[in-house]
Amino acid sequence: MKTIRPKRTTYNSIYFRSTLEARWAVFFDTLGVKYEYEPTWDEVDAGICYVSYKPDFYLPDLDYWVEVKPVSFGRMKFGDKKKAEGWTRDYDGLLILSGAPSMPKAGAEYHHYLEWNERKRYFWLHDQMWWCVCPKCGKLDIRGGGGIPSECDATCFPGPSYDLLGDETEPAAGHKSPRLSHAYNIARNIVFKPHRIS
């Protein structure tokens, strides 16, 4: 089986290790989300030994460490999972963005948030994480199942976000907002200039 290597890409004067990472940077820029690309590394416990690891992004305003992968957590290589777990144990969580930026839909790779429960000594993998925007205050976050940022449940839309039939009410569909749709389209359709090795 042939291995597809990531294509190195330059965007906004930053050298990314893959086009997929650069597409997420475009997504963040379009939404006005501040990010730092590979800002730090650490030695993490990968189960049988310590290894060097650095997540792809840090989002300071949202306080998320982010790893970008072409596949969901369940399909990641064993070693990559162990490094993610090691980082999570030391830094209280890791957001794993799977695949290219896209609107939530059936069959798409979805995102995960991995956290460590120190008291119970186990990892908790939150799946079906989707970016969402509050239609009232404009706050952006990522949440299981999408909807609106959890902070806005109590402030902007107190009360249930689902109707009696279990369907989303209009405010709860913040993961389908025009603002996000625009950012997904820009990130998916950008054409990067070829990377030159000097």
Side-chain angles (χ1 to χ4, degrees):
M1 184 173 171
K2 188 177 178 181
T3 303
I4 299 173
R5 295 186 179 229
K7 187 176 178 184
R8 297 169 190 256
T9 304
T10 302
Y11 161 70
N12 205 14
S13 301
I14 300 173
Y15 173 78
F16 291 93
R17 295 178 191 273
S18 72
T19 303
L20 185 58
E21 293 171 355
R23 289 194 187 285
W24 279 106
V26 171
F27 176 78
F28 296 142
D29 279 341
T30 305
L31 290 170
V33 175
K34 292 180 189 169
Y35 64 86
E36 299 168 20
Y37 180 66
E38 294 187 340
T40 190
W41 66 275
D42 202 353
E43 295 287 324
V44 298
D45 182 356
I48 57 171
C49 64
Y50 280 81
V51 295
S52 295
Y53 176 69
K54 58 180 158 186
D56 298 315
F57 295 96
Y58 178 64
L59 311 180
D61 292 343
L62 299 172
D63 194 25
Y64 288 130
W65 291 99
V66 178
E67 181 65 28
V68 172
K69 290 292 180 191
V71 296
S72 60
F73 185 81
R75 295 173 48 204
M76 283 168 50
K77 294 177 186 174
F78 179 78
D80 289 341
K81 286 182 185 178
K82 297 313 278 182
K83 288 189 278 189
E85 289 173 354
W87 186 271
T88 298
R89 192 180 292 112
D90 293 344
Y91 288 86
D92 298 328
L94 183 66
L95 176 60
I96 300 157
L97 300 177
S98 306
S102 65
M103 191 67 81
K105 62 183 181 238
E109 293 286 3
Y110 52 87
H111 317 302
H112 305 275
Y113 187 74
L114 184 63
E115 70 178 319
W116 172 246
N117 186 317
E118 183 63 41
R119 189 172 60 80
K120 295 185 178 179
R121 311 286 301 161
Y122 71 87
F123 291 100
W124 183 262
L125 184 67
H126 303 268
D127 60 5
Q128 299 286 347
M129 302 293 286
W130 291 107
W131 291 101
C132 52
V133 174
C134 177
K136 225 174 198 180
C137 72
K139 179 174 176 50
L140 173 81
D141 205 351
I142 193 161
R143 183 177 189 181
I148 58 174
S150 56
E151 199 175 286
C152 298
D153 282 342
T155 56
C156 298
F157 294 98
S161 58
Y162 291 86
D163 66 21
L164 295 175
L165 300 175
D167 294 326
E168 289 178 302
T169 57
E170 205 47 47
H175 56 279
K176 299 176 185 175
S177 78
R179 183 175 160 204
L180 284 172
S181 180
H182 174 71
Y184 288 132
N185 286 332
I186 296 291
R188 191 173 51 252
N189 294 313
I190 190 169
V191 177
F192 297 105
K193 293 180 182 175
H195 179 74
R196 298 176 194 262
I197 299 173
S198 46

